[in-house]
Amino acid sequence: MNRIPFFHVLSPLTLLLGLTFIIACRNSTDPVSPTTNTTAGTTATVGAGVPDVYRKLYGVSEIYLEGTNVVIKAKGLPDHKSPYYKGTSWESTLYVNDTRSGFSANPHRIAGQNYTFKIPLNPQEDAAHAETPLGPIGISLNGVPFFNQYAAGRAPLTMEIYGFDLYGGHPAPMNNYHYHVEPAYLTEKKGQEALLGFLLDGFPVYGPVENGKLVTNKDLDKYHGHMGKTADYPNGIYHYHVTAEDPYINGSGFYGKAGTLSQ
Ligand SMILES: [Zn+2]
Ligand SMILES: [Zn+2]
C-alpha cells in the first residue's frame, strides 16, 4: 500500500466534482545535527516555566524551556518488557520471550540513545505541512520515539509489522527502539483516551478513544488529527490520535511546523 490519496469535498454542491487528489511530494526535512547529552536517569529534571502537561512525559531525563521551544532529552528505552531486550544489560528484568504465532523478531536490540527534541511551546498550524521524516517524528510518554507509517525507503510497514513486539514497538538498525503504531503499553497503563506524547511540531498525540468512542481515520483530517478540547487542553487544541488503521499516528505531514531532533 502506498500513500493513500485523500479527497476534499469542496462544498456539498460540488460533492461529485470536487475531488482533489493530493499526491504528497517528497520534502526532505530531516533535521539532524550532532549534539551531546550526558544526562541519564529516569527522574526528569523539569525547568522553570514548563507547562504541567509536559510532566506527563515520565520516561525522559530533562525538560526545559529554551526560547520558544520545549527541550526534551531522553534515552528512548522502553519501560516495558520486550523480546528485543535479549542479550542487553537490561535483559534480566525486561526481556520476555515472545511466543505469539506470527511474531518474527528483527536482528536488532534495544540500546539507549541520546535524543534531544526541541518542539514549539506554542504550536501553530503551518501551511507547508512538511512531510514527516523517516526516524523519530515525536516522543511518547516513556521517552520512546514515534516513527511514521513507513519502513526504510518509505516502504509500507507490511512486513515490519510481524516484528513488532507485544507493545507495538521494535528497534531499527541503530538499535533505536520506536513505535509506528499505538504504544499499547501506554494505553494499557494510562487509558485509551490518554495523552500519549507529542509530535515534533508540538501538537499532542492522544489514544484511540475519545469521549468513550473509538476514533477512526474518518474522524480525522489527512494529518491524522483534528481540533477539539482535551483533558489537558480544556480550551481546545489541534491534536493527533493513534488509530488501528494505517497511517496509525500521523498522516501526510505535520499539522504544524516541526521542531528539531538531534541524536
Ligand atoms: Zn520501524
Ligand atoms: Zn480528538
Side-chain angles (χ1 to χ4, degrees):
M1 188 166 26
N2 284 315
R3 192 174 279 280
I4 299 163
F6 293 87
F7 66 87
H8 285 185
V9 178
L10 298 178
S11 82
L13 294 174
T14 56
L15 182 64
L16 296 175
L17 301 171
L19 297 175
T20 305
F21 287 93
I22 296 174
I23 308 298
C25 59
R26 172 86 197 211
N27 179 10
S28 181
T29 53
D30 200 347
V32 176
S33 63
T35 189
T36 54
N37 175 7
T38 54
T39 315
T42 51
T43 308
T45 309
V46 181
V50 172
D52 279 350
V53 65
Y54 296 99
R55 291 174 185 267
K56 292 193 170 183
L57 295 163
Y58 69 86
V60 306
S61 55
E62 251 185 291
I63 311 172
Y64 57 89
L65 300 185
E66 186 181 88
T68 57
N69 288 314
V70 183
V71 182
I72 302 161
K73 297 192 174 195
K75 295 286 184 196
L77 293 169
D79 59 328
H80 54 70
K81 290 185 188 293
S82 173
Y84 293 108
Y85 270 121
K86 186 170 188 167
T88 68
S89 52
W90 300 273
E91 172 175 340
S92 59
T93 52
L94 291 174
Y95 168 69
V96 64
N97 181 23
D98 194 334
T99 56
R100 293 171 302 155
S101 73
F103 172 70
S104 172
N106 75 27
H108 314 306
R109 291 288 174 268
I110 294 170
Q113 312 290 319
N114 288 314
Y115 294 123
T116 301
F117 291 87
K118 293 189 183 183
I119 66 172
L121 174 61
N122 294 304
Q124 304 290 332
E125 182 178 3
D126 177 36
H129 295 292
E131 191 170 38
T132 52
L134 292 175
I137 65 165
I139 183 165
S140 67
L141 298 189
N142 60 0
V144 169
F146 291 123
F147 274 31
N148 70 15
Q149 68 273 40
Y150 301 111
R154 298 203 170 249
L157 293 173
T158 321
M159 297 311 292
E160 284 213 349
I161 280 176
Y162 296 108
F164 291 172
D165 67 18
L166 293 154
Y167 296 116
H170 73 165
M174 301 300 287
N175 298 319
N176 43 334
Y177 186 85
H178 56 276
Y179 304 119
H180 294 271
V181 298
E182 176 183 335
Y185 179 74
L186 296 177
T187 45
E188 223 171 73
K189 190 167 143 169
K190 302 288 180 181
Q192 297 282 302
E193 303 208 17
L195 175 81
L196 300 177
F198 295 87
L199 291 197
L200 271 173
D201 61 2
F203 287 108
V205 180
Y206 282 87
V209 174
E210 188 165 62
N211 301 321
K213 277 182 58 188
L214 191 68
V215 178
T216 70
N217 288 350
K218 286 202 283 288
D219 301 313
L220 306 172
D221 65 17
K222 63 180 177 176
Y223 312 107
H224 219 238
H226 61 187
M227 204 67 74
K229 294 178 181 178
T230 74
D232 308 286
Y233 299 90
N235 296 324
I237 189 169
Y238 184 87
H239 55 280
Y240 301 100
H241 280 279
V242 300
T243 64
E245 318 145 283
D246 187 339
Y248 312 110
I249 298 171
N250 175 268
S252 61
F254 289 110
Y255 184 73
K257 187 161 174 50
T260 60
L261 166 71
S262 27
Q263 57 188 117

